[in-house]
Amino acid sequence: MPTELTARLKNDNWDLHQIAERGPTPGALIKGTMPKPGYSDSLAQGLLIHRALDHATQGIKDKRPDLGALIKPDQAFAPYLEADLDFLGVDTAGITATPGTQRFIDAIGARADDPCYLFGLHYVRLGACNGNRFVARKLRSVYGFSDNQGTMFLDPFGEKQRSEWNAFKNGIDALDLSQDDQDRIFAGTRDAYLLTINLDHDEFQSAEALLAANAKTLDKDAFEQGHSVHVAPGETL
Ligand code: HEM
């Protein structure tokens, strides 16, 4: 039976999304205050994570063709990161994983036999492109990039972003997913936010600890109206 899973994935993760977009790295990127070497470093770490996740999505296709059919070839993210890093002159052979990156890679490996969980991780990297389009626009202006050079990873789908994202979500909701499948996908999305927030932390912080630390400033209305203060209410690209 069709589900309303994507409404849950969006509505029940708003708190971690708000914490994620305020984090040191995403926050500095959307504000345009991140020096270019810091941006290159974040892409280099991303390459290690997304190579592992690209590999894991192949496993989804093998084990769960229904979910795998929604993952198109242009949703492999390592090639975008390689193109950006090449443009920025970064040697990709010499990248060492930070603790947060290693934690993310280990989490992917630990759930290699759980295609629904891995699909949840994939959902978040794809959904993040909705906000990353704003980040890409800011960075193009701050760093003087032309076209999409250097920002392919953030904005891989360009003008097709919204329609492709809606098609992906409609495809998920049209599937016949058991409650257990849905809960595993949700767990993957929750962990994707958590692992991303923790990329900025050497010591892992649990969801409970993060929510308690941010309890006074979490604001659902502000989030729904405009996300980060750097995205105007109702603004779309
Ligand atoms: C850099 C700061 C960020 C800004 C300004 C931002 C902004 C946005 C915006 C405007 C949307 C579209 C919301 C809608 O369709 O109604 C969105 C969606 C999304 N963002 Fe972010 N975002 C940021 C960071 C992040 C990060 C770091 C992650 C991942 C950990 C993330 C994951 C997502 C996901 C998964 C969606 C789709 C939500 C859903 O429909 O389930 N975002 N973001």
Side-chain angles (χ1 to χ4, degrees):
M1 220 176 57
T3 70
E4 295 184 356
L5 176 59
T6 63
R8 177 183 178 198
L9 301 183
K10 181 173 181 174
N11 298 335
D12 290 358
N13 278 320
W14 75 269
D15 46 5
L16 288 184
H17 185 288
Q18 190 167 62
I19 293 171
E21 70 181 32
R22 291 172 176 175
T25 297
L29 289 172
I30 188 70
K31 281 185 246 174
T33 55
M34 173 71 87
K36 210 198 276 185
Y39 174 54
S40 294
D41 285 348
S42 75
L43 294 180
Q45 293 301 313
L47 179 61
L48 303 184
I49 295 165
H50 290 280
R51 270 183 183 153
L53 207 40
D54 287 350
H55 179 72
T57 54
Q58 281 307 315
I60 300 174
K61 287 181 176 292
D62 296 340
K63 295 191 181 78
R64 286 294 298 259
D66 56 341
L67 295 171
L70 299 175
I71 305 174
K72 310 289 184 214
D74 65 359
Q75 296 173 14
F77 281 75
Y80 302 126
L81 286 157
E82 277 159 7
D84 290 340
L85 288 163
D86 183 51
F87 172 73
L88 292 162
V90 176
D91 174 11
T92 56
I95 307 168
T96 309
T98 64
T101 295
Q102 194 56 51
R103 198 184 290 130
F104 210 137
I105 294 169
D106 290 347
I108 295 167
R111 303 297 278 267
D113 290 330
D114 190 344
C116 289
Y117 176 91
L118 294 173
F119 188 81
L121 297 182
H122 179 69
Y123 174 96
V124 170
R125 68 174 179 166
L126 204 57
C129 296
N130 290 297
N132 282 340
R133 244 167 103 57
F134 291 93
V135 177
R137 184 175 61 176
K138 172 59 93 175
L139 297 186
R140 279 181 213 122
S141 110
V142 171
Y143 299 147
F145 295 159
S146 57
D147 303 325
N148 206 9
Q149 283 193 312
T151 53
M152 287 290 292
F153 165 69
L154 295 170
D155 187 14
F157 310 113
E159 296 303 319
K160 290 191 297 178
Q161 171 60 40
R162 183 52 62 179
S163 59
E164 299 273 320
W165 175 242
N166 286 338
F168 180 73
K169 294 214 299 187
N170 291 339
I172 295 172
D173 287 338
L175 293 177
D176 186 7
L177 297 170
S178 69
Q179 191 59 48
D180 183 58
D181 287 345
Q182 295 181 50
D183 291 346
R184 284 169 187 270
I185 293 172
F186 179 70
T189 62
R190 200 84 187 142
D191 277 2
Y193 284 108
L194 195 54
L195 290 160
T196 303
I197 293 165
N198 272 288
L199 290 176
D200 278 321
H201 303 294
D202 284 355
E203 291 292 323
F204 181 74
Q205 297 188 16
S206 69
E208 293 70 27
L210 287 164
L211 292 170
N214 288 276
K216 289 211 174 94
T217 57
L218 285 174
D219 184 339
K220 189 162 197 234
D221 287 345
F223 179 75
E224 281 174 352
Q225 279 175 34
H227 283 259
S228 154
V229 290
H230 304 279
V231 179
E235 189 181 2
T236 54
L237 283 175

